Amino acid sequence: MGPIILSAQESASNSDILQGTRLQTVPAGGILTFEMQSSQCDITNNFTVSIQMPNGDTPLNNTLIPGTSVADEGIIDERQNLTVSFPISQGGHCVFSCTETGTAALTWRVTYTPA
């Protein structure tokens, strides 16, 4: 089995982004890598993200996501984005959620790499 890569944009809050996707349940043990960037990151327009692992750990809890210029919306810039990786066991469901404030957009990519 090879990697699974999912990506999309969110324009509103979402309580379980991976629900209904190929990564709703992890097919085998491996690593989940999350790359995230908001179109804006100021007091009135931003996104926060939470990630809860299958064992209940919450390594990200309402974490403010870095922004970029509105003209670059939809681009994940490795110089500015937030990237985190976590080990995950087979069959686990990771809850990846986001909360919008104002009119920002969140661009994300999740990569599953088997162990």
Side-chain angles (χ1 to χ4, degrees):
M1 168 178 277
I4 297 172
I5 302 169
L6 304 175
S7 64
Q9 285 188 296
E10 304 293 327
S11 60
S13 298
N14 187 335
S15 63
D16 195 350
I17 293 170
L18 298 179
Q19 182 70 32
T21 71
R22 292 181 63 204
L23 291 178
Q24 176 176 317
T25 303
V26 175
I31 303 291
L32 283 180
T33 300
F34 297 81
E35 300 170 84
M36 302 159 283
Q37 186 145 15
S38 180
S39 60
Q40 300 177 67
C41 185
D42 59 43
I43 195 72
T44 57
N45 299 291
N46 61 69
F47 262 92
T48 58
V49 164
S50 296
I51 296 175
Q52 182 177 15
M53 303 306 290
N55 66 359
D57 288 349
T58 308
L60 295 182
N61 189 16
N62 292 319
T63 302
L64 190 62
I65 301 304
T68 187
S69 69
V70 176
D72 291 333
E73 182 178 316
I75 297 172
I76 297 176
D77 185 339
E78 65 183 25
R79 299 169 301 167
Q80 301 175 13
N81 74 327
L82 176 62
T83 299
V84 292
S85 296
F86 307 106
I88 191 162
S89 301
Q90 179 177 3
H93 176 67
C94 181
V95 178
F96 173 34
S97 61
C98 64
T99 303
E100 177 193 25
T101 298
T103 60
L106 174 69
T107 303
W108 60 267
R109 178 171 41 233
V110 177
T111 303
Y112 161 75
T113 306

